[in-house]
Amino acid sequence: MIDDSIFLKALRKEKLPVPPIWYMRQAGRYMPEYRAVRKNFKNFLDMCKNPEVCCELALQPIDAFKLDAAILFSDILTIPDAFGLEVQFIENEGPVFQNPIEKVDDIDNLMPFDPESLSYVYEAVTNIKNTLPSNIPLIGFCGSPWTLAAYSIEGRSSKDFKKTIGFIKENPDKAHLLLSKLTDACFLYLRKQVQAGADVIQIFDSWANILDAEDLNNYSFQYIKSLIDALKNDSITSNIPIILFARDPKCSTESLLDTSADCLSLYWSMNNFNIRLAENKIALQGNLDPKILLESENAIKKETHKLLEKFKDFPGYIFNLGHGLTPDICPNKVKYLTELVRDY
Ligand code: 1CP
């Protein structure tokens, strides 16, 4: 039954009359239903630690827009929190770590990752899976080892992650040790999500954009590839499709294909990506600039039709944005966009 869903068909690189649709950050602050629940929690992670609430939030965009896939409601920073770095979300500041990694000893002394400490996430997965219509697949996810390392060293979000770049240049061996520890944790975490009911996995390399081509391979893609290899070689996760989102990566199409992901989620400004090279090798997702949703319906229509034309003959295209929906977007525009794609 679930195998007949158009999302899983597209991930198997089947050509479809209408692409499956879901949106990055489809559950979030742009929805009034989300804000109504969010106001009951001071700390965002406390909300993520409540599996019933996560279930309700993950279902909100499915109910509102009849999307073709649901995504687990959680955050990528659950893993650093489980390593004891104590993540808090501060209003208008984003994530702030109480115990960031400041010196090399902090990496040696990291407590071992216990996948059971994130049981609240797996419970949310099971709740969502049990509540979703049986033909709608559920996406589990994690941050890439590099993106998690960047937040853990920087201790917060940043435009350029200067502190992190300085740290890895001064201590490359310890940086690699941290990345290996995070890769092992991501594997155990994703395997548990699949055991709990996730049908698909997405890896978010949201800070791929701050590395040059060589460092991107050395500090990020190398670890994404070992994570994907481990998942493909494990009997529980071997058949689960894996989507990789890398934000604006400074690299060739070939090096993205070399990660062994089953699907690449394209950032909105990735115009150098060679679609023909990807054909029949990998599925593709995304690429629409989310900012277009702040414009008029006519402007949305023009850009969306352009994008659908671009991927018209591509076997295995999933409609999505090139990054997440932002809080300033009006839900009516999301509804309009979804109908536009289905009517094309
Ligand atoms: O106060 C609030 O309501 C918090 C807003 C919010 C939400 C709704 C955050 C804080 N995280 C989330 C949920 C979330 N995060 C989901 C599930 C919801 C869905 O997609 O429908 C997912 C998949 C994520 C993943 C995530 N978290 C990423 C990767 C995707 C991307 O946008 O690149 C990243 C980078 C984060 C970190 C994060 N979480 C939240 C904030 C403010 C940040 C920092 C962003 C930054 O550094 O700029």
Side-chain angles (χ1 to χ4, degrees), residues 23-29 34 38 44 47 71-77 89 94-95 141 147 151 157-158 204 206-207 245 247 323-324:
Y23 300 111
M24 289 211 271
R25 287 280 170 101
Q26 60 192 25
R29 285 168 291 183
Y34 173 88
R38 176 71 179 87
F44 172 72
M47 187 168 78
I71 183 161
L72 160 68
F73 192 89
S74 190
D75 199 79
I76 62 167
L77 299 179
F89 284 82
F141 70 88
T147 289
Y151 279 114
S157 189
S158 156
F204 288 96
S206 299
W207 294 105
F245 167 75
R247 169 162 163 186
H323 205 178

Side-chain angles (χ1 to χ4, degrees), residues 151-184:
Y151 279 114
S152 302
I153 296 169
E154 202 73 21
R156 58 193 313 120
S157 189
S158 156
K159 257 215 271 314
D160 49 17
F161 284 78
K162 253 203 186 117
K163 192 166 145 193
T164 304
I165 300 290
F167 185 95
I168 64 169
K169 293 292 166 186
E170 258 173 58
N171 312 288
D173 293 350
K174 288 295 170 187
H176 283 293
L177 175 63
L178 174 62
L179 288 160
S180 311
K181 288 187 182 202
L182 288 167
T183 304
D184 294 346

